[in-house]
Amino acid sequence: MGDSTEQGFVLGIDSGGSGVRVALAHADAPYEGDGDGGEERGGVGGDGPASGLAWSSSVPTPAVVGDRGIDADSLLARVLPAARALLREAGADRVVAVCVGAAGMASLGDDLRAKLPDALASSLGTRRLALAADGVTAYAGALGQRPGAVVAAGTGLIALGALPGDTADADGAGGADGDGADVDGDGESTARSTAGALGGGGWRRADGWGHLLGDCGGGAWIGRAGLEAAMRAYDGREGGSQPLLTRLEAVFGPAGELPGKLYPRPDRPAVLASFAPEVGRCAERDPVAAAILRDAAQHIAQAAEAVCPDVEGRVVALTGGLLRMGAPLLVPLRAQLAERLPNARVTEAAGDPLAGAVRIATALATHSLRLPLDAALLRVMDIGSVAPES
């Protein structure tokens, strides 16, 4: 192996709200993802995206969360058999670098940080490991290592902005000014705090605080606003929408019974978000529904504006299932973004979070990681050279 590149395979792991997925790729010809989170299988060898192999968990459920947060053993039990199967298909026996992107990594990742390094080194022969929040892998999938912002709009809403610097990985290299990664005695690379500002490189986050405190403009927010307008019409109050009331009763039954059906549900955000498409369908003929989507677009654009670095060549990428609503949301959203970020190029995400995890793992293998390191959002470890267990 050369000094600058670890030849071989890399592994991306995406543990999100819809389940756990794994992708294996050549370090020099990475898997780019399918953009919609679906399952993909392909041969190894050749050029470009088709070089990747990918496996999706058969049960679309999130990783188990226990007393120590995300349960590492349950994640490993799903990931390792899939990774070994992909390695066999590729005719290989190890991966040189792994990136794990997980929802809740920042606050619920203690068990992963404690167990994954040894487990991946002994099972897969992994030398380098990145542990990332799912927002970081979404960013890498959408924009790679370019400066800009990613807005992920689904049931919730979060925006993440980054100003990548020079190579800043576990070799201890930081940005050009030296203010980058610090490597401790365990080979772990973290970064000095980058919270709140992007002037010297770093991450900035806006929203993503859940449906009770934020996620403004997301699917649950739109659905709740639509249901409120329907209930106003049911009561005869100002601001109500008869078309939305009609759709409420078609979807949920009698309006007066909705609170009893909704409040006991543990999946209230998803239930609220399920009504967002109804708001979109009503928007063309209902001014109340159209106003809800204009307000949602404003909230989404505000989040993007808050995190997008003020540099030349910045890009804003939009991703997430909410965007499938189409013109009723996208037309006012693009107008808001043009007004608030006139010099930014707005685009759809190039790849999904699984593709982002593979991109980060590839950057580790090629010693080319420029995304900002952060103790909560993106942590890199050198975990040595251990022969994988047979």
Side-chain angles (χ1 to χ4, degrees):
M1 296 180 184
D3 292 336
S4 63
T5 303
E6 302 272 12
Q7 299 296 330
F9 290 94
V10 298
L11 192 74
I13 300 169
D14 173 41
S15 176
S18 60
V20 178
R21 299 182 297 145
V22 178
L24 178 73
H26 278 295
D28 59 352
Y31 163 81
E32 293 294 344
D34 59 7
D36 63 5
E39 185 173 355
E40 179 171 317
R41 297 296 295 266
V44 178
D47 298 322
S51 300
L53 294 173
W55 167 88
S56 295
S57 57
S58 58
V59 180
T61 55
V64 173
V65 178
D67 294 340
R68 295 197 63 192
I70 303 169
D71 185 76
D73 291 334
S74 71
L75 183 64
L76 288 165
R78 301 177 71 181
V79 166
L80 291 179
R84 292 188 184 110
L86 289 175
L87 283 168
R88 285 194 299 270
E89 189 171 345
D93 64 354
R94 67 179 64 201
V95 292
V96 295
V98 175
C99 175
V100 180
M105 178 70 80
S107 57
L108 300 172
D110 287 348
D111 201 38
L112 301 184
R113 288 185 280 268
K115 295 181 179 179
L116 290 190
D118 287 344
L120 293 172
S122 62
S123 298
L124 303 178
T126 303
R127 300 172 62 91
R128 313 192 80 195
L129 171 65
L131 298 177
D134 60 338
V136 170
T137 51
Y139 185 100
L143 291 180
Q145 301 195 76
R146 291 177 290 170
V150 171
V151 180
T155 298
L157 190 289
I158 186 170
L160 199 64
L163 185 60
D166 294 333
T167 301
D169 63 16
D171 293 331
D177 60 0
D179 186 11
D182 295 328
V183 181
D184 62 24
D186 296 326
E188 181 172 342
S189 181
T190 59
R192 298 184 179 98
S193 174
T194 59
L198 288 168
W203 295 101
R204 179 178 287 164
R205 165 182 168 166
D207 214 336
W209 304 123
H211 74 292
L212 293 179
L213 298 177
D215 286 356
C216 298
W221 187 95
I222 292 172
R224 194 213 62 81
L227 290 171
E228 179 190 344
M231 296 308 294
R232 284 180 172 272
Y234 178 73
D235 291 342
R237 288 180 288 150
E238 183 179 347
S241 165
Q242 186 61 45
L244 288 174
L245 175 59
T246 299
R247 296 310 306 153
L248 180 158
E249 293 182 330
V251 174
F252 296 108
E257 298 176 7
L258 179 60
K261 295 178 179 178
L262 176 62
Y263 293 149
R265 293 281 294 264
D267 58 344
R268 283 188 300 276
V271 176
L272 293 171
S274 72
F275 196 69
E278 302 295 342
V279 180
R281 295 183 187 104
C282 290
E284 185 176 353
R285 65 183 188 279
D286 178 26
V288 174
I292 290 171
L293 295 184
R294 286 195 301 271
D295 289 346
Q298 183 177 43
H299 285 304
I300 296 170
Q302 287 171 344
E305 182 184 27
V307 304
C308 193
D310 187 11
V311 296
E312 185 177 355
R314 60 184 177 170
V315 181
V316 177
L318 306 175
T319 185
L322 186 63
L323 303 180
R324 298 190 189 105
M325 188 179 294
L329 176 63
L330 291 179
V331 169
L333 175 55
R334 290 187 179 276
Q336 282 282 335
L337 289 170
E339 177 182 344
R340 294 174 180 275
L341 296 167
N343 297 320
R345 182 167 65 90
V346 179
T347 183
E348 294 183 3
D352 63 8
L354 181 60
V358 173
R359 283 182 169 182
I360 293 172
T362 299
L364 289 183
T366 57
H367 297 263
S368 59
L369 183 65
R370 300 191 311 276
L371 293 175
L373 301 180
D374 183 276
L377 295 175
L378 179 59
R379 185 175 298 199
V380 171
M381 304 176 187
D382 271 330
I383 57 180
S385 179
V386 180
E389 297 173 348
S390 59

